[in-house]
């Protein structure tokens, strides 16, 4: 009933929403502890969009809320059947936390009218609500404020005791009922005229009806998508956590389908959009629920309440329901998450701050769009600017690691080893090429070993982390190879996976670079390159011809070694002279050159 009031509906629609959907979800849902029904965040979204179309006192307002439940249900069913639940992964936890925090503050402020005793503007933005509260201060009434504050204090105390002490955990579930009983008892005894009551609530089960007002579907589509996203995030997240705690697997797509079917059937029985409730699901879990039967029992109790107890609900004070809502959303203000993000990841903290601020001051829809947009921008930025590491050899091993992470790792003169920690595709290939050129120029000689040469002659690409390479990246590799060749630099490829190697082979890059320059291990590539660096150093000691006759280092290398076949052996690492590699028996290429 509290959430129905938050949605701008009569309290009876909260009871309807907690009746039929529970039975349907018990049949089609996959979680054994998830409690389905109205929740604060979805109720706020419903109120926010419908208040711009119709007045909450109009019948059209209620019709649109029920139609919205049908639309949300259809979207959830489609996403479940098409297995599209993965799309929600693009909404980061920082966005969810920031959005939830801001929404909780707006929800709490929207309930202020029941505490203060006068009407305030309905809005999803914090500034109009605060202005409205200040402008109506002369109408302030003490009785509802005192009663609401006392009930809120009782709720918070019971919630705290229920969380902190296991033997008192039943108090957490008893809090709202206690608030309603205390408030109703006070009203029945003293009959204060300044405290508004829930009023008459229809008795009986909801009747079957088809949602109407389909001409408004187009204007409701954005909100239906938003509610679907929020519902999925809240429900699937809670359901997964409860499944892990109770030791069973949860099918996210089945969960989506179950939520969708429950909303569709609920809309035929006057329900507005529902989803999994965190607090009620936690109570369900703590009470020892092990199957969906707990939901069916809840539904039966709700049906009995609709049949027999609604006359008692007439005397429930509005401030008691408001206190229940405020108590529920206080825990959603996740300031601890902001403190955690500040210490762990400033980028996520920025995302949390942006989402919270925009949601508070610009509204829920804009807040979500901005948060998701900034989140996706971060994803695109990370993808377009992947981590690239220069590798060095750890002393006493054949293991090569990031020299920034392992300062003791050493590199070799004339060789730069680069590991690309991401798929290579059109969006990041330019960045990768720029970094490779940078590594070619910026050479730290303090940790280098091996034959002393003046510049880089070999670039070894460690491609083990590269899971995919597209056609744009293939063309860029070809261009890079020709660019390097013009400067007497050879590319070597280490440990590409099967798919990447197949793409390189089909595109002709393998033949272009040379099969002998593909290796299983970085160490194998380094050993072969070291042999050539040594040969280049020896060749540089020979007589220096005139500039017009000066050959490339590969031509000098051919002359130095005497014959092409021997060079092929050196490059491939096969049958390599032991005096050059100190008898390494494990040196082997990834691909062998055709004879």
């Amino acid at each position: 009933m509290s959430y129905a009031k938050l949605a701008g509906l009569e309290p009876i629609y909260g009871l309807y929403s907690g009746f039929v959907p529970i039975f349907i979800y018990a049949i089609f849902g996959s979680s054994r502890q998830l409690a389905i029904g109205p929740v604060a965040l979805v109720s706020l979204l419903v109120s926010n969009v419908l208040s711009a179309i119709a007045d909450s006192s109009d019948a059209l307002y209620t019709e649109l809320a029920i139609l919205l439940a049908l639309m949300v249900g259809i979207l959830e069913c489609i996403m479940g059947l098409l297995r599209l639940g993965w799309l929600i992964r693009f909404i980061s936890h920082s966005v969810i936390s920031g959005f939830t925090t801001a929404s909780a503050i707006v929800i709490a402020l929207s309930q202020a009218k029941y505490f203060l005793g006068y009407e305030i503007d309905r809005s999803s933005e914090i500034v109009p609500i605060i202005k409205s509260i200040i402008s109506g201060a002369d109408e302030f009434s003490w009785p509802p404020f005192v009663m609401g504050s006392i009930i809120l204090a009782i709720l918070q105390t019971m919630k705290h005791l229920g969380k902190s002490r296991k033997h008192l955990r039943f108090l957490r579930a008893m809090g709202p009922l206690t608030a309603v009983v205390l408030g109703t008892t006070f009203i029945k005894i003293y009959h204060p005229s300044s405290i508004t009551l829930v009023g008459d609530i229809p008795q009986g089960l909801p009747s079957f009806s088809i949602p109407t007002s389909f001409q408004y579907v187009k204007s409701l589509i954005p909100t239906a998508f938003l509610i679907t996203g929020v519902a999925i995030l809240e429900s699937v997240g809670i359901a997964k956590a409860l499944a892990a705690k109770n030791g069973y697997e949860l099918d996210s797509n089945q969960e989506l389908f179950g939520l969708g079917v429950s909303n569709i059937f609920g809309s035929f029985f006057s329900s507005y959009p529902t989803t999994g409730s965190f607090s009620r699901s936690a109570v369900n879990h703590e009470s020892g629920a092990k199957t969906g039967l707990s939901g069916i029992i809840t539904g039966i109790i709700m049906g009995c309440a609709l049949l027999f107890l609604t006359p008692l609900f007439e005397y429930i004070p509005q401030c008691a329901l408001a206190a229940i809502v405020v108590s529920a959303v206080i825990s959603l203000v996740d300031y601890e998450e902001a403190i955690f993000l500040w210490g762990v990841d400033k980028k996520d903290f920025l995302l949390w701050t942006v989402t919270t601020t925009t949601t508070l001051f610009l509204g829920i829809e804009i807040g979500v769009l901005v948060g998701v947009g900034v989140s996706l921008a971060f994803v695109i930025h990370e993808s377009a600017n992947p981590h690239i590491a220069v590798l060095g050899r750890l002393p006493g091993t054949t293991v090569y690691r990031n020299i920034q992470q392992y300062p003791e790792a050493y590199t070799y003169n004339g060789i730069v080893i680069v590991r690309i920690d991401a798929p290579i595709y059109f969006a990041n290939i330019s960045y990768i090429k720029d970094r490779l050129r940078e590594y070619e120029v910026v050479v730290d000689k303090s940790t280098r070993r091996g034959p002393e040469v003046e510049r880089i002659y070999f670039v070894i690409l460690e491609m083990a982390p590269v899971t995919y390479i597209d056609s744009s990246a293939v063309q860029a590799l070809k261009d890079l190879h020709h660019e390097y060749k013009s400067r007497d630099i050879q590319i070597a490829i280490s440990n590409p996976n099967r798919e990447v190697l197949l793409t390189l082979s089909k595109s002709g890059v393998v033949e272009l670079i040379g099969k002998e320059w593909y290796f299983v291990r970085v160490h194998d590539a380094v050993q072969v390159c070291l042999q050539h660096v040594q040969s280049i150093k020896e060749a540089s000691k020979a007589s220096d011809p005139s500039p017009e006759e000066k050959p490339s280092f590969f031509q000098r290398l051919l002359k130095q070694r005497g014959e092409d076949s021997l060079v092929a052996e050196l490059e491939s690492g096969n049958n390599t002279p032991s005096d050059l590699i100190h008898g390494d028996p494990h040196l082997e290429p990834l691909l062998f050159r055709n004879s």
Side-chain angles (χ1 to χ4, degrees):
M1 289 192 293
S2 304
Y3 293 144
K5 293 294 291 181
L6 176 60
L9 299 166
E10 291 299 319
I12 188 62
Y13 292 100
L15 298 177
Y16 290 161
S17 301
F19 178 53
V20 172
I22 290 180
F23 290 103
I24 303 301
Y25 179 81
I27 298 171
F28 293 98
S30 58
S31 175
R32 302 169 192 172
Q33 288 83 27
L34 191 68
I36 295 297
V39 297
L41 201 52
V42 171
S43 299
L44 179 64
L45 291 170
V46 170
S47 170
N48 183 55
V49 66
L50 297 188
S51 59
I53 300 175
D55 189 84
S56 60
S57 60
D58 294 343
L60 176 61
Y61 189 97
T62 303
E63 291 172 5
L64 293 179
I66 295 169
L67 176 62
L68 200 53
L70 177 63
M71 293 173 63
V72 169
I74 291 172
L75 284 175
E76 289 174 338
C77 282
I78 291 173
M79 293 187 71
L81 291 173
L82 298 181
R83 308 186 73 82
L84 296 178
W86 60 270
L87 290 172
I88 305 300
R89 298 173 193 168
F90 285 98
I91 304 179
S92 74
H93 179 70
S94 303
V95 171
I96 299 168
S97 175
F99 169 70
T100 304
T101 297
S103 299
I105 294 171
V106 172
I107 290 170
L109 288 174
S110 70
Q111 299 300 296
K113 62 182 179 180
Y114 300 115
F115 283 80
L116 302 176
Y118 58 88
E119 286 295 320
I120 62 174
D121 293 341
R122 185 187 297 271
S123 177
S124 64
E125 301 171 25
I126 192 171
V127 173
I129 295 176
I130 293 176
K131 282 184 177 180
S132 181
I133 291 172
I134 295 173
S135 63
D138 55 335
E139 301 176 34
F140 175 74
S141 175
W142 279 103
F145 179 78
V146 173
M147 174 179 274
S149 300
I150 291 173
I151 292 176
L152 180 59
I154 292 171
L155 286 168
Q156 288 299 102
T157 302
M158 294 181 73
K159 182 188 290 187
H160 175 72
L161 291 173
K163 284 183 177 180
S164 59
R165 301 181 183 181
K166 282 190 175 182
H167 64 283
L168 295 176
R169 63 185 181 185
F170 68 91
L171 291 177
R172 185 177 178 185
M174 291 289 291
L177 181 60
T178 303
V180 167
V181 170
L182 289 176
T184 305
T185 303
F186 181 84
I187 295 296
K188 292 287 283 183
I189 295 173
Y190 295 103
H191 305 286
S193 59
S194 56
I195 296 179
T196 57
L197 307 180
V198 168
D200 183 51
I201 295 179
Q203 190 170 3
L205 300 178
S207 58
F208 178 85
S209 63
I210 302 295
T212 57
S213 304
F214 286 98
Q215 66 269 28
Y216 292 94
V217 164
K218 188 175 180 181
S219 59
L220 295 178
I221 286 177
T223 302
F225 273 103
L226 182 57
I227 291 176
T228 300
V230 170
I232 292 169
L233 288 169
E234 191 166 352
S235 292
V236 176
I238 297 165
K240 282 187 173 181
L242 292 173
K245 286 184 178 180
N246 289 274
Y248 64 90
E249 291 295 325
L250 184 84
D251 185 347
S252 298
N253 294 296
Q254 176 66 32
E255 189 69 13
L256 281 177
F257 183 76
L259 289 169
V261 174
S262 65
N263 270 305
I264 290 173
F265 275 86
S267 69
F268 297 145
F269 292 92
S270 303
S271 167
Y272 77 96
T274 59
T275 188
S277 165
F278 179 81
S279 57
R280 294 196 295 274
S281 298
V283 170
N284 224 13
H285 167 68
E286 291 169 1
S287 300
K290 297 297 180 185
T291 67
L293 182 62
S294 60
I296 294 176
I297 293 172
T298 303
I300 292 172
I301 294 172
M302 189 66 70
C304 293
L306 284 167
L307 287 171
F308 308 113
L309 300 179
T310 52
L312 299 176
F313 299 155
E314 179 181 349
Y315 298 98
I316 297 175
Q318 297 270 30
C319 59
L321 295 183
I324 292 171
V325 173
V326 173
S327 175
V329 300
I330 283 176
S331 59
L332 298 179
V333 180
D334 201 0
Y335 64 90
E336 292 180 352
E337 178 71 9
I339 296 171
F340 171 78
L341 292 175
W342 174 261
V344 173
D345 191 333
K346 298 295 191 295
K347 189 180 293 183
D348 278 344
F349 174 79
L350 174 63
L351 189 56
W352 186 93
T353 305
V354 168
T355 305
T356 303
T357 305
T358 52
T359 303
L360 280 175
F361 291 96
L362 300 179
I364 292 174
E365 290 88 349
I366 295 177
V368 170
L369 289 175
V370 170
V372 172
V374 175
S375 181
L376 289 176
F378 283 158
V379 171
I380 293 170
H381 179 269
E382 291 296 328
S383 179
N385 299 272
H387 181 261
I388 301 175
V390 175
L391 305 185
R393 183 175 178 179
L394 296 180
T397 71
T398 59
V399 176
Y400 292 78
R401 292 292 182 266
N402 186 350
I403 59 175
Q404 298 293 329
Q405 186 177 357
Y406 297 90
E408 69 273 18
Y410 58 85
T411 55
Y412 290 99
N413 291 311
I415 303 170
V416 61
I417 310 163
V418 179
R419 187 186 68 215
I420 302 168
D421 294 328
I424 306 176
Y425 69 115
F426 66 92
N428 63 16
I429 187 61
S430 296
Y431 174 81
I432 292 172
K433 286 173 67 176
D434 291 342
R435 295 297 299 273
L436 289 175
R437 293 189 186 102
E438 176 186 326
Y439 294 143
E440 177 192 345
V441 175
V442 181
V443 178
D444 182 11
K445 296 185 178 182
S446 61
T447 61
R448 290 186 172 267
R449 301 187 183 183
E452 293 185 4
V453 289
E454 294 300 320
R455 65 181 184 86
I456 298 297
Y457 287 97
F458 296 94
V459 175
I460 301 173
L461 300 180
E462 158 65 305
M463 299 186 73
V466 179
T467 56
Y468 167 75
I469 185 168
D470 73 351
S471 57
S472 299
V474 165
Q475 186 57 49
L477 278 178
K478 290 181 179 179
D479 296 341
L480 190 64
H481 169 76
H482 293 305
E483 180 184 329
Y484 277 161
K485 209 70 175 176
S486 67
R487 300 202 300 273
D488 287 340
I489 298 175
Q490 176 64 49
I491 294 177
I493 306 293
S494 168
N495 198 23
N497 70 29
R498 183 179 180 277
E499 295 300 323
V500 170
L501 188 58
L502 188 61
T503 301
L504 295 177
S505 179
K506 287 180 178 179
S507 61
V509 175
V510 169
E511 294 295 336
L512 181 66
I513 294 177
K515 289 185 178 181
E516 65 275 13
W517 294 105
Y518 288 77
F519 300 89
V520 175
R521 300 183 303 166
V522 173
H523 185 62
D524 299 337
V526 170
Q527 291 297 291
V528 170
C529 293
L530 276 176
Q531 297 163 24
H532 290 301
V533 171
Q534 179 64 34
S535 300
I536 291 167
K537 182 181 179 183
E538 293 174 0
S540 66
K541 293 179 181 178
S543 56
D544 188 13
S546 61
E548 293 80 6
E549 300 174 354
K550 187 174 182 179
S552 70
F553 88 90
F554 287 110
Q555 291 172 328
R556 298 198 303 272
L557 183 58
L558 289 174
K559 184 175 180 181
Q560 176 71 21
R561 306 314 302 168
E563 58 181 23
D564 184 76
S565 61
L566 182 56
V567 173
E569 292 176 358
L570 289 170
E571 292 176 339
S572 66
N574 191 35
N575 300 323
T576 306
S578 60
D579 61 326
L580 290 175
I581 64 167
H582 307 292
D584 187 348
H586 302 294
L587 183 62
E588 57 182 63
L590 180 63
L591 301 169
F592 291 94
R593 182 189 293 182
N594 294 330
S595 58

